[in-house]
Amino acid sequence: MNIDTYKQILIKYWGYTSFKPLQEEIIRSVVEGKDTLALMPTGGGKSLTFQVPVMATDGICLVITPLIALMKDQVNRLNKLEIKSIAIHSGLSAEELDNALENAIFGDYKFLYVSPERISTRLFLGKVSRLNLKLVAIDEAHCISQWGYDFRPSYLKIAQLRDHISDKVPFLAVTASATPMVIDDIMTRLRFREKNVLSTSFDRKNISYLVRMVEDKGTYLIQTLLKAHGSGIVYVRSRKRCKDVAELLAANGISADYYHAGLSDEVRDSKQASWTTGETRVIVATNAFGMGIDKAEVRFVIHWELPDSIENYFQESGRAGRDNKPAFAVLLYSPTDKSRLIDTIRKKFPPVEKIKDIYESLCNFLQIPLGSGKDTVYDFNIQEFVSKYRLPVIETFNGMQFLQREGYVEFTEEINNPSRVHFIVSRDDLYKFQVANESFDSFVKLLLRSYTGMFSEFVAINEEALSRKSALSRDTIYQFLVRLSSMNIIKYIPGKKTAMVIFTEERLMRKALLITTENYLHVKERYEERLEKMIAYADTEAHCRSVFLLNYFGEEADRCGICDVCRKRNELDLSNYEFEVITRSIKDNLTMSSIDAEQLVKMIDHPEDKTIKVIRWLLDHNKISQDKDHKLIWISD
Ligand code: ADP
Ligand code: MG
């Protein structure tokens, strides 16, 4: 293959002049037809690794991605570049789904985005073989692994695709986050023909990682931000705190706003835009802030609380310094944080009997009789659900995750589906209808003037916009649409904002409902392990933070020299090697018995001044302490 072909595509469609690190290698691997697992940090440019190669073919790329909002965002971006793309998710009716697939088969579409729970449906598997498929891309591929922090059972069904498509079509799995165990698991679960991993280093050399033990986080934040320069993100764990912290900053003269998933799409978009352009300096956000952030000059990412995994921490803090200029990733840590984090375990893992209660309430809420409901999609409003059955919202949400994990149901996030219209009569028949029904004439003309393509497919419309354009009330517009629909002139799907539940099994009796050890206890154990790692990161005073993070992802590295741990060490003015040798020797001596400081210095076979420095450092960092006789003892690793 000639890489120039791909460079030209990069320039022609995206206007970029060169590839980012590893993009070229990944494209090469894919073009050679190899199954490929690509690991690149957030913002590394993963999307282009599947988008570019397909543009050089006459075929289509199937992209599997977990979040519907993310999918829509990508499809919009591609369509703006005049690359025909289409999305299939649970928000579509069966008819639209069918239509979309037919379009993908016969239209010259380049990208078909699919949410994972749609893949195993009969409709999809029945048609997928007719696509001129060149590549299957799996975004956020770590979701396939039960070892990972974001396991989604529907991802497990992706491998089934192999039975329905040509075995020449390679799989490209991409992720920003995978520990060595997860990497292996991804390739196994996707039935890779051969193992093949390409990865860039996760080392973010320009980020200075800091952990700050502070009791009064508000004051710390204000003081820091008044001194610091540039724009950044403060992550917090609750929606309420978002608003509180933003207000606190604003009250102290710092330009700040807040962002969380409870705000409407329009509000979120406008807040994100103000932050991106620099109008708002600091955005205080929950982890809902992340998708589609495309801002390189982020000077700091501050975590108000400990996240619940290193994966999350790395991903979120990694939004700092994409421009490769110095940036800070700060974790605020207070003495009570640890116990609060441990308390989240209780909320995350409601008792099994509670989970079964939730299942039964859910079935009753959706009015599903025993033995039915399989493969049915239901609109689902969790607020209504919890208030009707007086359930605690967080525990209920978490309990439902186990029902999903066990394969009984699937949940989608809340999505905004616009209204859609499709003319089901020909232009000629429509004309005859207009002549015969004069009262509809001007409305039909309004529709035809406002949108195109409605004769061949469903087209998104906006009742509000039509109302503004025509001076008809919104309700009148709605009535017209409903009547045209009942007269079989159009198909009309009213828009709505909703989450959905898909029953993957029929409703079962309570005693038939299984919550297995594998899907509950083991999950809990792994969750606890991740928490412990996160706490260890915050607690460590001996490991370079950057090395700690990289080791977690299976990468070796030298200490960064710019994290808080390294900075303290730098003050010692000892080489890394000297420090380690002396520390080891001190440890060897002290683990056998407690020793008087003066005596210890004599026992260590290194210059006295250096040994004293190390002992002082170890004392300062609670590695050693003094017992009641003022002898030194070793306390931790
Ligand atoms: P990821 O999925 O790895 O987090 P994205 O695919 O969203 O990253 O890409 C991040 C940003 O980098 C996007 O704005 C994208 O357009 C840009 N980008 C990707 N490849 C290149 C390139 N070769 N040159 C310049 N910008 C690029
Ligand atoms: Mg991405």
Side-chain angles (χ1 to χ4, degrees), residues 10 14-21 23 40-52 74 77 139-140 174-176 292-295 315 322:
L10 183 71
W14 283 274
Y16 299 140
T17 47
S18 63
F19 284 114
K20 289 201 186 191
Q23 282 182 328
M40 262 188 190
T42 311
K46 289 185 283 296
S47 315
L48 285 192
T49 62
F50 51 83
Q51 290 170 346
V52 169
Q74 292 226 3
R77 278 182 198 214
D139 206 355
E140 313 291 348
V174 301
T175 172
I293 297 180
D294 212 353
K295 176 167 173 146
Q315 188 132 8
R322 287 268 154 227

Side-chain angles (χ1 to χ4, degrees), residues 395-573:
E395 280 91 329
T396 304
F397 177 81
N398 290 329
M400 295 194 320
Q401 302 304 313
F402 292 98
L403 296 170
Q404 170 159 285
R405 209 171 250 278
E406 210 60 70
Y408 297 123
V409 292
E410 298 266 0
F411 298 95
T412 70
E413 82 266 35
E414 194 171 74
I415 47 173
N416 240 338
N417 267 325
S419 299
R420 284 150 289 171
V421 167
H422 180 191
F423 277 99
I424 48 177
V425 293
S426 67
R427 275 179 196 274
D428 286 348
D429 288 343
L430 179 63
Y431 183 70
K432 283 180 209 148
F433 169 84
Q434 284 171 273
V435 173
N437 301 272
E438 223 183 305
S439 60
F440 284 90
D441 184 55
S442 58
F443 180 74
V444 170
K445 282 182 178 148
L446 170 69
L447 262 184
L448 294 175
R449 254 202 332 271
S450 310
Y451 305 98
T452 57
M454 288 177 293
F455 287 97
S456 53
E457 60 188 345
F458 277 98
V459 170
I461 62 152
N462 182 336
E463 289 91 340
E464 205 68 57
L466 287 173
S467 156
R468 261 180 270 127
K469 217 166 169 173
S470 61
L472 297 171
S473 75
R474 220 198 119 118
D475 190 54
T476 311
I477 303 270
Y478 176 74
Q479 293 304 334
F480 267 121
L481 291 165
V482 169
R483 275 156 67 204
L484 282 172
S485 169
S486 65
M487 295 160 96
N488 285 322
I489 302 298
I490 61 169
K491 285 233 159 102
Y492 169 55
I493 304 173
K496 61 188 174 203
K497 179 170 180 161
T498 179
M500 274 162 287
V501 182
I502 305 132
F503 267 66
T504 22
E505 296 287 340
E506 68 272 17
R507 175 175 180 177
L508 300 173
M509 298 217 298
R510 186 180 179 106
K511 64 172 186 285
L513 209 61
L514 281 182
I515 304 293
T516 55
T517 308
E518 167 77 326
N519 282 328
Y520 187 84
L521 276 183
H522 292 176
V523 173
K524 191 173 176 188
E525 282 161 18
R526 288 195 295 268
Y527 183 77
E528 287 166 348
E529 278 163 24
R530 279 193 291 272
L531 278 189
E532 277 163 21
K533 268 284 177 197
M534 194 63 233
I535 292 171
Y537 171 84
D539 276 342
T540 188
E541 282 167 340
H543 281 98
C544 160
R545 309 253 179 231
S546 174
V547 169
F548 189 107
L549 295 172
L550 291 169
N551 287 350
Y552 184 80
F553 295 110
E555 207 178 307
E556 297 297 323
D558 290 331
R559 70 189 188 96
C560 70
I562 53 173
C563 70
D564 56 317
V565 177
C566 285
R567 284 178 190 202
K568 279 186 203 136
R569 281 271 297 279
N570 294 346
E571 290 162 14
L572 287 181
D573 197 25

Side-chain angles (χ1 to χ4, degrees), residues 37-40 42 46 64-67 70 138-153 155-156 158 173-179 181-187 189-190 202 309 311-312 315 405 530 553:
L37 172 56
L39 308 176
M40 262 188 190
T42 311
K46 289 185 283 296
I64 300 156
T65 178
L67 292 176
L70 201 83
I138 300 108
D139 206 355
E140 313 291 348
H142 58 273
C143 292
I144 203 171
S145 175
Q146 311 206 23
W147 308 111
Y149 68 107
D150 193 13
F151 170 58
R152 289 163 194 257
Y155 260 62
L156 289 174
I158 297 173
V174 301
T175 172
S177 161
T179 56
M181 196 144 109
V182 171
I183 290 174
D184 239 37
D185 204 25
I186 293 173
M187 291 188 286
R189 303 266 169 203
L190 288 175
F202 279 43
S309 68
E311 284 93 335
N312 281 329
Q315 188 132 8
R405 209 171 250 278
R530 279 193 291 272
F553 295 110

Side-chain angles (χ1 to χ4, degrees), residues 259-270:
Y259 182 109
H260 58 68
L263 302 164
S264 75
D265 289 0
E266 295 79 41
V267 171
R268 273 188 294 168
D269 287 350
S270 102

Side-chain angles (χ1 to χ4, degrees), residues 153-418:
S154 52
Y155 260 62
L156 289 174
K157 295 176 183 156
I158 297 173
Q160 284 180 20
L161 266 177
R162 299 239 192 223
D163 304 328
H164 298 264
I165 61 177
S166 152
D167 57 7
K168 289 200 193 71
V169 179
F171 277 31
L172 168 59
V174 301
T175 172
S177 161
T179 56
M181 196 144 109
V182 171
I183 290 174
D184 239 37
D185 204 25
I186 293 173
M187 291 188 286
T188 311
R189 303 266 169 203
L190 288 175
R191 287 162 47 191
F192 267 38
R193 292 164 295 193
E194 269 178 57
K195 298 213 158 166
N196 179 23
V197 186
L198 293 173
S199 77
T200 50
S201 167
F202 279 43
D203 201 353
R204 298 292 311 280
K205 290 194 189 310
N206 59 319
I207 297 186
S208 173
Y209 293 98
L210 309 174
V211 175
R212 292 288 183 242
M213 184 60 99
V214 281
E215 302 226 5
D216 184 353
K217 294 178 177 177
T219 306
Y220 174 86
L221 200 59
I222 293 162
Q223 285 169 351
T224 308
L225 294 184
L226 284 174
K227 275 185 290 177
H229 295 285
S231 174
I233 310 172
V234 177
Y235 278 111
V236 298
R237 284 174 73 105
S238 80
R239 292 177 183 183
K240 184 177 179 305
R241 176 147 299 144
C242 255
K243 191 158 180 273
D244 293 349
V245 174
E247 281 169 1
L248 176 72
L249 294 180
N252 283 276
I254 296 161
S255 156
D257 199 355
Y258 63 98
Y259 182 109
H260 58 68
L263 302 164
S264 75
D265 289 0
E266 295 79 41
V267 171
R268 273 188 294 168
D269 287 350
S270 102
K271 284 177 186 246
Q272 179 162 348
S274 303
W275 177 76
T276 307
T277 56
E279 214 173 305
T280 307
R281 184 179 158 220
V282 180
I283 191 122
V284 185
T286 61
N287 60 6
F289 189 66
M291 194 192 74
I293 297 180
D294 212 353
K295 176 167 173 146
E297 61 285 11
V298 177
R299 293 278 63 80
F300 52 85
V301 173
I302 301 176
H303 279 75
W304 182 275
E305 285 130 329
L306 287 173
D308 51 14
S309 68
I310 297 278
E311 284 93 335
N312 281 329
Y313 184 64
F314 189 76
Q315 188 132 8
E316 286 160 10
S317 61
R319 303 207 163 99
R322 287 268 154 227
D323 54 4
N324 289 324
K325 295 187 185 138
F328 292 91
V330 188
L331 176 61
L332 304 185
Y333 189 38
S334 82
T336 53
D337 283 356
K338 217 183 288 185
S339 53
R340 203 151 11 92
L341 198 58
I342 287 165
D343 193 49
T344 64
I345 297 173
R346 192 179 47 79
K347 288 198 182 127
K348 280 252 176 205
F349 297 86
V352 170
E353 288 309 312
K354 278 264 156 50
I355 297 173
K356 294 188 175 184
D357 291 345
I358 294 169
Y359 178 82
E360 299 209 298
S361 303
L362 180 68
C363 292
N364 292 338
F365 180 67
L366 300 171
Q367 301 182 332
I368 305 173
L370 269 175
S372 57
K374 186 170 161 59
D375 286 333
T376 315
V377 181
Y378 300 88
D379 287 346
F380 179 62
N381 181 327
I382 189 165
Q383 288 304 340
E384 263 173 41
F385 176 54
V386 295
S387 69
K388 182 160 179 188
Y389 292 90
R390 297 173 192 279
L391 300 166
V393 64
I394 295 173
E395 280 91 329
T396 304
F397 177 81
N398 290 329
M400 295 194 320
Q401 302 304 313
F402 292 98
L403 296 170
Q404 170 159 285
R405 209 171 250 278
E406 210 60 70
Y408 297 123
V409 292
E410 298 266 0
F411 298 95
T412 70
E413 82 266 35
E414 194 171 74
I415 47 173
N416 240 338
N417 267 325

Side-chain angles (χ1 to χ4, degrees), residues 28-192:
R28 214 179 269 281
S29 170
V30 167
V31 172
E32 285 168 5
K34 294 186 196 153
D35 290 333
T36 308
L37 172 56
L39 308 176
M40 262 188 190
T42 311
K46 289 185 283 296
S47 315
L48 285 192
T49 62
F50 51 83
Q51 290 170 346
V52 169
V54 174
M55 294 311 291
T57 71
D58 61 352
I60 190 168
C61 173
L62 183 67
V63 188
I64 300 156
T65 178
L67 292 176
I68 297 172
L70 201 83
M71 177 182 296
K72 290 183 162 184
D73 184 58
Q74 292 226 3
V75 167
N76 282 342
R77 278 182 198 214
L78 287 167
N79 284 327
K80 271 192 202 134
L81 300 172
E82 301 192 347
I83 299 172
K84 281 177 81 177
S85 309
I86 198 165
I88 289 182
H89 52 74
S90 297
L92 302 183
S93 67
E95 196 174 355
E96 285 176 289
L97 180 68
D98 194 55
N99 249 314
L101 278 169
E102 288 297 319
N103 275 325
I105 293 166
F106 295 110
D108 45 357
Y109 282 86
K110 298 308 291 177
F111 295 94
L112 174 61
Y113 278 75
V114 192
S115 55
E117 78 281 353
R118 286 276 109 175
I119 288 177
S120 54
T121 58
R122 205 170 321 135
L123 185 60
F124 185 81
L125 288 177
K127 295 207 174 188
V128 72
S129 63
R130 288 163 54 207
L131 291 170
N132 182 16
L133 196 60
K134 298 289 164 160
L135 175 65
V136 176
I138 300 108
D139 206 355
E140 313 291 348
H142 58 273
C143 292
I144 203 171
S145 175
Q146 311 206 23
W147 308 111
Y149 68 107
D150 193 13
F151 170 58
R152 289 163 194 257
S154 52
Y155 260 62
L156 289 174
K157 295 176 183 156
I158 297 173
Q160 284 180 20
L161 266 177
R162 299 239 192 223
D163 304 328
H164 298 264
I165 61 177
S166 152
D167 57 7
K168 289 200 193 71
V169 179
F171 277 31
L172 168 59
V174 301
T175 172
S177 161
T179 56
M181 196 144 109
V182 171
I183 290 174
D184 239 37
D185 204 25
I186 293 173
M187 291 188 286
T188 311
R189 303 266 169 203
L190 288 175
R191 287 162 47 191
F192 267 38

